[in-house]
Amino acid sequence: MEIQLLLTFLVLAGALFLFISEKLPVDLVAMLVLASVLILGLVTPAQALSGFASEATVTVAAMFVLSAGIARSGILNGLGDLLSRIRWPWMFALAMMLLAAGTSAFINNTAIVAVFLPLVIAAAAATGQSPSKMLIPLSYAAQFGGVCTLVGTSTNLLVHSVAVQHGLSGFTLFEFTALGIWFVVVGTVYLMFSRRYLLPDYGIPNADDDSHRGRYLTELHVPEKSSLIGKRGNELLPLDSGDVYIIEIVRESVTLHSPSTTEVQAGDRLLLRGAWNAIDKVRKELKLDYDPVAKDLVADPAADRVHAELMVVPGSHLAGHTMASLRFGHTYRLRVHGLQRPNERLRRPLHRIPLEVGDILLVDGTPAALDALRQEPGLMLLTRRAKREVDSRRAILSVGIMVAVIALSAFEIMPIVASALLGCVALVAVNVLTPEDAYGGIDWRVIMLLAGVLPLGIALQNSGGADWIAQGALDLIGNGNPLLTLAIIYLLTAVMTEMMSNNASAVLIAPIAIATAGVMGVDPKPFLVAVAFAASTSFATPVGYQTNTMVYTAGGYRFSDFFRIGVPLNLIFFVMAVVLIPRYFPF
């Protein structure tokens, strides 16, 4: 057992390092963890693969499909359109947060933010407010709304699954609701006041002049007979070029050293970084060309083309692939002019850069090409939203099926996993979704993460690691104060969630919480609720939760913006958890 314990902690340490450092995608780290605990004999083959058959994994996949049915019916866009009609800024902010929180209790919160984000940007500008005053509250509301039900977040389902694996009863569909409503109310009130003082005002985007916030990396080509030929890189930019810098000069696919002293030749590609208006001004003044990779697109009449910003959303199949490998321009009939990625200095040609979640692409295309993107789940339009009418038939059926799924579970007619799977079958059977739509609606990275990290929790239990950590912690803090233990478990989970995947932090802490309760001789449910709530509400960083990553780039935020408004909310929720959890879930 000592060898098993040591090996388990080595795997745990390696997983923590990879999750926190983000050197590899989280789903790949999860698969490495699964393979490690299996190869080292820390779990049996059946236990190693149990994550794929876990109630949490299957239910999360099914809820993704149910959410896709509602999203693709257009009903969320209809709700967003109603929201955009509110002209009082304070009323708009309140309605936005309550709507996001209410829908996130039953629909995947990433889907909620993906649909509402462009609507909120447009509506905020229409009410005379900067979107940067609205987007962080949108993300936060989607998070604390999700804690209100068992199906509101994948983390709640994961903690429930861990509890069932340990022989506990788990949680019912609405067991979190009474406590969750307190978090929604307090979180909404806090954001209504704090957003005015703690969030920055980065201005209102003006769609009429194609002004785009943020600093883009772009690629411009030097044509034949250009006046720039023979000049050095430090002589190219005009004196009034503003916030534009030459990063690299690329010649025949080779990046040249010392671009400032290199003489430019015809056919060279100049990599520039800066504000888009300044870049476009330089392009016109120096008579440079855009990337001609998709040459067949140049024939499209320029007058019919529209600029737009696209975001790579969580779960996108584009993440990890370059635009060259995707044949991006030909596939979507778009020309890519720039790429924006916060806090990273990109120095490669656009077509060689692997895309990441949160990347913003500045493109132009015909209205028809941009409208077609509404069917593309991996990309989201920010500055130009394709109008999507509500499909009444699909809306009624998808909402009706979701209500039926919830009712069957709430009245304990069948388990949530059974009713959710039945709902998925019904969506396909009545042609609300095609089988391809159903598969495409699932965020497979989350599924692989859940399936991969669950065996690590089993290994902690098998090796005695969870008991060892629990006993060691109690030796330090004393084993007679469950309230103090609850506070430490919540705080530890919250801190870990800010640095790594919320699901990973939950599956690592939940077995320890159960073991701690066993050593103390108290009910483990309060500790598990603390894990679920702390892991589902990540406010202090833009990387702790997917919805934060989405609004991070779209709102033009800085890392410090999340810290400034998020840390006080984390502390408020911490105090609330310590006070309220024992009232609803006694020890």
Side-chain angles (χ1 to χ4, degrees), residues 76 106 108 169 185 220 233 243 306 351 386 390 431-432 459 519 525 538 544 554:
L76 292 178
F106 304 100
N108 176 257
S169 60
V185 171
L220 299 177
D243 187 20
V306 182
H351 67 282
V390 177
N431 293 321
V432 172
V519 173
K525 268 198 172 182
S538 172

Side-chain angles (χ1 to χ4, degrees), residues 480-540:
N481 193 336
L483 193 63
L484 176 59
T485 306
L486 174 74
I488 292 174
I489 288 174
Y490 186 99
L491 193 61
L492 178 61
T493 307
V495 171
M496 288 182 64
T497 301
E498 297 296 350
M499 299 184 292
M500 56 191 280
S501 161
N502 56 311
N503 287 318
S505 63
V507 82
L508 293 177
I509 301 298
I512 297 171
I514 294 172
T516 304
V519 173
M520 299 181 68
V522 299
D523 190 338
K525 268 198 172 182
F527 297 157
L528 290 174
V529 173
V531 173
F533 274 58
S536 297
T537 50
S538 172
F539 306 129

Side-chain angles (χ1 to χ4, degrees), residues 191-214:
L191 290 171
M192 283 296 295
F193 289 97
S194 63
R195 70 182 189 87
R196 298 181 59 186
Y197 307 104
L198 299 180
L199 284 179
D201 186 339
Y202 289 137
I204 301 172
N206 183 354
D208 294 333
D209 64 2
D210 283 335
S211 62
H212 305 278
R213 292 193 311 276

Side-chain angles (χ1 to χ4, degrees), residues 505-572:
S505 63
V507 82
L508 293 177
I509 301 298
I512 297 171
I514 294 172
T516 304
V519 173
M520 299 181 68
V522 299
D523 190 338
K525 268 198 172 182
F527 297 157
L528 290 174
V529 173
V531 173
F533 274 58
S536 297
T537 50
S538 172
F539 306 129
T541 70
V543 297
Y545 208 87
Q546 290 180 326
T547 58
N548 287 354
T549 303
M550 294 170 71
V551 302
Y552 181 32
T553 47
Y557 293 113
R558 297 182 177 91
F559 195 98
S560 58
D561 295 331
F562 285 84
F563 190 84
R564 184 168 53 250
I565 193 171
V567 168
L569 185 56
N570 274 335
L571 293 175
I572 291 171

Side-chain angles (χ1 to χ4, degrees), residues 243-391:
D243 187 20
V244 180
Y245 304 93
I246 294 179
I247 305 301
E248 301 286 0
I249 297 177
V250 181
R251 181 174 301 159
E252 297 179 352
S253 299
V254 177
T255 300
L256 305 179
H257 298 291
S258 303
S260 61
T261 58
T262 299
E263 292 188 357
V264 173
Q265 297 180 10
D268 284 353
R269 286 178 287 170
L270 309 180
L271 300 186
L272 280 69
R273 181 187 294 119
W276 180 253
N277 283 348
I279 288 176
D280 203 42
K281 179 182 177 182
V282 167
R283 181 191 67 83
K284 293 175 181 177
E285 187 170 340
L286 300 182
K287 298 180 180 179
L288 298 172
D289 297 330
Y290 285 126
D291 183 0
V293 171
K295 295 181 180 179
D296 58 316
L297 299 181
V298 178
D300 293 337
D304 292 339
R305 304 187 70 83
V306 182
H307 274 95
E309 286 175 315
L310 307 177
M311 175 184 285
V312 180
V313 300
S316 174
H317 66 283
L318 306 178
H321 299 281
T322 65
M323 283 180 278
S325 66
L326 294 166
R327 291 178 57 82
F328 190 91
H330 298 281
T331 301
Y332 298 105
R333 308 301 301 168
L334 300 171
R335 294 186 301 199
V336 179
H337 298 318
L339 187 151
Q340 181 186 151
R341 181 179 298 168
N343 297 328
E344 186 169 342
R345 294 188 174 276
L346 303 171
R347 306 186 70 91
R348 285 181 284 176
L350 294 179
H351 67 282
R352 295 185 193 169
I353 299 174
L355 297 175
E356 293 183 1
V357 171
D359 282 352
I360 294 181
L361 303 176
L362 182 63
V363 302
D364 76 28
T366 63
L370 292 171
D371 288 343
L373 285 174
R374 68 188 183 194
Q375 302 296 336
E376 173 53 58
L379 291 168
M380 177 174 56
L381 280 163
L382 294 179
T383 51
R384 183 185 185 276
R385 184 175 65 89
K387 179 67 174 178
R388 185 173 197 171
E389 300 297 334
V390 177
D391 186 325

